[in-house]
Amino acid sequence: MSILTPLLLRGLTGSARRLPVPRAQVHSRPAREQLRTMDIAIGLTSCFLCFLLPSGWVLSHMDSYTKRE
């Protein structure tokens, strides 16, 4: 590395240091309503149908995918 390398790097990053970084306005509060049992059942059922059912189908038919005909 030459003697000028730190000066060049400082020149490249110097303008970026002065830019303001926006802060996210994140505030958390307690939920307005408690989740009911039916809401939880609907959420778990939809997760099962969307993620686990297709992957289970693929895994159960893995033999037919690996056969070469």
Side-chain angles (χ1 to χ4, degrees):
M1 283 181 35
S2 71
I3 299 172
L4 296 176
T5 305
L7 293 174
L8 290 173
L9 291 175
R10 191 177 310 137
L12 290 173
T13 60
S15 60
R17 268 189 228 145
R18 290 184 219 108
L19 294 174
V21 177
R23 298 273 176 152
Q25 301 294 324
V26 177
H27 302 285
S28 81
R29 296 184 210 157
R32 292 182 189 166
E33 302 174 1
Q34 290 290 329
L35 289 177
R36 296 175 293 169
T37 306
M38 190 58 144
D39 297 333
I40 294 171
I42 290 172
L44 289 174
T45 304
S46 64
C47 285
F48 173 76
L49 291 175
C50 292
F51 297 110
L52 297 177
L53 197 63
S55 60
W57 189 85
V58 168
L59 288 174
S60 67
H61 291 84
M62 189 66 76
D63 294 333
S64 64
Y65 290 140
T66 56
K67 285 183 187 174
R68 292 187 182 212
E69 293 182 23

